[in-house]
Amino acid sequence: MAPLEPWEKVIVDDGMYSEDVHSEVACTDCHGGVQSADKHEAHTDLINNPSNNPEASCAECHPDVVAMNDYSLHTNLSGYHKVLDARADEHGSDDEALTQMFSNHCSACHASCGECHVSQPNLVGGGLVSGHVFNKTPSMTQNCTACHGSRVGNEYLGKHEDLRPDVHFTQGRMVCVDCHTSHEMHGQPSDCQECHEGPEAAMLEPADHRYSGVQTPRCETCHVTIAVGQDENEMHQEHAGDLSCQVCHSVSYSNCDGCHVAISETTGNPFYATDGDYLSFMIGRNPLKSYDRPYDYVTLRHVPISEDSYAYYGDNLLPNYDALPTWTYTTPHNIQKNTPQTESCEACHNNPDIFLTVDKVVEDEIQANLPVIMPSIPMTPTLQLMFPPVEPIVEDE
Amino acid sequence: MRELLQKILFSTISIAILSVMVIYLAGCAGNSSEVVSIEPSLSNAASVVEVANVEPTIEPTVETAVITPTAEIDHCLDCHINKELLIDTADPEEEVINENEGKG
């Protein structure tokens, strides 16, 4: 995405903005500053992003939304803290060195109200999207995929060579918010029972990660009969509920290796460097098997966490590195009706290429990935009788 | 042919002038206030007394408040809706060196 020119970032569309209800609020009420014809005087104590403090700037008119804001993963970055806590020592992500690291390299992913509804994310340089008009529906390209671009955006829009875009985009003309509603984005209470009744509400865990809590969005919400094997497709009848939908209907997606972060000695700016990225498709065991994600097998994506990813900030900051797999539960946004997997049963069964077996895992990561490594390749019933599965041999440390 | 065109032109102009005058006169027309007065009847002395005690009803003149909008000077928008002004007053652009390697 091309960066905005400096003037583009701050220009207000007088005609369109005057129709926006927010234009009834004086500029200085939200942005601070002083009414003056002199630029420097006018920008005294200027607040560039008022919605960084939504209680002060947004709550008066949007109290219900602001009340949920702290629960939003875009606000609290809870998912990052969760995985850091799991791999770090007893101090978790509160460790002083990790706190500094997080501040320098991770906190930029925090998204305020304005970074979805009126401007581009600061992560990509900020700037007004529609002349300061507030968009109830964030732009897919200028907001959502501005941050979620290297994986989701590229997959969904078909930017990988020889790979088609997601069918929900090409056929359904759907954008992000068609599935990822404001209910998900704005945050939900940690206890679902605060709003919902029934046994399901009691069984759902709080959402402290993108793949925890209620599965939203969920394929089955729209594809009801297919998901429960009530259509005529024999694969659906056989595998509904056992496999995540992406196992059959996704294609190759981005994976990354070895991200290391540091502060540049030249510029003093934070930066990262990955060992590499590549397209791959891997099926493995579900590391997050739960009431809401009951699948036995799911698609897995390699994430670029290494034991020394944060070595710049200290030694051995991830003593529990093996606590979580490096091949993680993933939901690639490149869904196709027909994929190599749907061609026949044998496309998967007896096909070792698409299953995460121990030989495909880097030696240093085997221990961490034991929960997801396939002990054997699923075979057709006939071959299964001839070649029973063999448990992988793991050497004790 | 030429005379015909001149006649048509003259008629058009006349109609236009008349239309303007009608609109102007309509705007100048004001509402006349009715003054109701009760004349006492000589045939009934009592009613004359009663009527005499009735004060004439006069329609009160409604004073319409004249709102003069105060001109609010919004220096913020004066600048921020003006592309050329934004370009002229922009701070020098700092070169951002991207030292990241690989996908974020």
Side-chain angles (χ1 to χ4, degrees), chain A residues 334-390:
Chain A
N334 55 10
I335 300 301
Q336 311 292 331
K337 182 178 180 180
N338 299 312
T339 66
Q341 299 88 269
T342 62
E343 289 180 0
S344 67
C345 299
E346 287 72 24
C348 292
H349 290 273
N350 317 330
N351 181 6
D353 292 341
I354 61 173
F355 289 97
L356 186 69
T357 48
V358 66
D359 59 297
K360 297 185 180 73
V361 180
V362 174
E363 185 176 350
D364 293 342
E365 299 179 9
I366 290 178
Q367 189 68 30
N369 289 291
L370 285 179
V372 299
I373 290 175
M374 296 289 294
S376 61
I377 307 301
M379 295 183 177
T380 53
T382 305
L383 283 177
Q384 207 162 21
L385 290 173
M386 297 172 59
F387 301 101
V390 178

Side-chain angles (χ1 to χ4, degrees), chain A residues 99-167:
Chain A
T99 299
Q100 184 65 48
M101 182 284 300
F102 194 93
S103 175
N104 290 339
H105 303 280
C106 305
S107 61
C109 281
H110 163 84
S112 66
C113 313
E115 288 173 282
C116 288
H117 291 289
V118 69
S119 61
Q120 293 185 147
N122 290 336
L123 192 66
V124 295
L128 298 172
V129 171
S130 305
H132 211 298
V133 171
F134 281 75
N135 298 316
K136 184 175 182 180
T137 301
S139 162
M140 179 171 72
T141 52
Q142 289 187 281
N143 294 117
C144 306
T145 60
C147 290
H148 300 280
S150 62
R151 285 173 288 280
V152 171
N154 288 346
E155 291 162 8
Y156 194 70
L157 300 175
K159 292 187 176 181
H160 293 300
E161 192 174 351
D162 298 330
L163 292 176
R164 290 174 293 173
D166 191 301
V167 68

Side-chain angles (χ1 to χ4, degrees), chain A residues 89-369:
Chain A
D89 62 16
E90 64 274 13
H91 299 106
S93 55
D94 291 333
D95 175 273
E96 186 177 342
L98 287 178
T99 299
Q100 184 65 48
M101 182 284 300
F102 194 93
S103 175
N104 290 339
H105 303 280
C106 305
S107 61
C109 281
H110 163 84
S112 66
C113 313
E115 288 173 282
C116 288
H117 291 289
V118 69
S119 61
Q120 293 185 147
N122 290 336
L123 192 66
V124 295
L128 298 172
V129 171
S130 305
H132 211 298
V133 171
F134 281 75
N135 298 316
K136 184 175 182 180
T137 301
S139 162
M140 179 171 72
T141 52
Q142 289 187 281
N143 294 117
C144 306
T145 60
C147 290
H148 300 280
S150 62
R151 285 173 288 280
V152 171
N154 288 346
E155 291 162 8
Y156 194 70
L157 300 175
K159 292 187 176 181
H160 293 300
E161 192 174 351
D162 298 330
L163 292 176
R164 290 174 293 173
D166 191 301
V167 68
H168 296 89
F169 177 64
T170 55
Q171 301 298 319
R173 308 308 297 171
M174 294 170 70
V175 294
C176 310
V177 298
D178 288 325
C179 291
H180 298 280
T181 64
S182 58
H183 183 56
E184 176 189 352
M185 293 295 105
H186 288 165
Q188 302 144 44
S190 58
D191 183 1
C192 298
Q193 294 178 83
E194 286 190 26
C195 300
H196 298 278
E197 298 178 352
E200 284 193 343
M203 298 177 71
L204 294 172
E205 301 173 352
D208 57 357
H209 186 272
R210 70 175 73 183
Y211 293 129
S212 72
V214 62
Q215 187 180 174
T216 175
R218 192 183 179 110
C219 307
E220 295 88 331
T221 302
C222 294
H223 303 281
V224 178
T225 55
I226 294 173
V228 295
Q230 292 182 356
D231 66 347
E232 296 179 352
N233 187 302
E234 60 178 7
M235 289 188 177
H236 292 157
Q237 295 168 4
E238 181 65 31
H239 290 306
D242 296 335
L243 309 178
S244 69
C245 303
Q246 289 82 6
V247 166
C248 295
H249 291 288
S250 175
V251 292
S252 295
Y253 42 84
S254 294
N255 299 263
C256 296
D257 288 342
C259 185
H260 297 83
V261 297
I263 301 295
S264 169
E265 294 180 355
T266 307
T267 62
N269 295 328
F271 75 97
Y272 64 83
T274 57
D275 292 341
D277 57 85
Y278 48 94
L279 295 175
S280 177
F281 178 88
M282 282 294 154
I283 303 170
R285 293 191 293 165
N286 181 4
L288 302 177
K289 193 167 183 177
S290 65
Y291 167 79
D292 209 54
R293 292 172 180 81
Y295 320 112
D296 293 325
Y297 303 103
V298 299
T299 43
L300 300 173
R301 187 194 304 264
H302 192 267
V303 293
I305 183 69
S306 296
E307 203 165 357
D308 61 347
S309 284
Y310 312 131
Y312 178 84
Y313 293 91
D315 297 326
N316 197 31
L317 291 178
L318 301 177
N320 296 315
Y321 176 73
D322 294 335
L324 295 174
T326 59
W327 285 90
T328 63
Y329 183 109
T330 190
T331 49
H333 286 55
N334 55 10
I335 300 301
Q336 311 292 331
K337 182 178 180 180
N338 299 312
T339 66
Q341 299 88 269
T342 62
E343 289 180 0
S344 67
C345 299
E346 287 72 24
C348 292
H349 290 273
N350 317 330
N351 181 6
D353 292 341
I354 61 173
F355 289 97
L356 186 69
T357 48
V358 66
D359 59 297
K360 297 185 180 73
V361 180
V362 174
E363 185 176 350
D364 293 342
E365 299 179 9
I366 290 178
Q367 189 68 30
N369 289 291

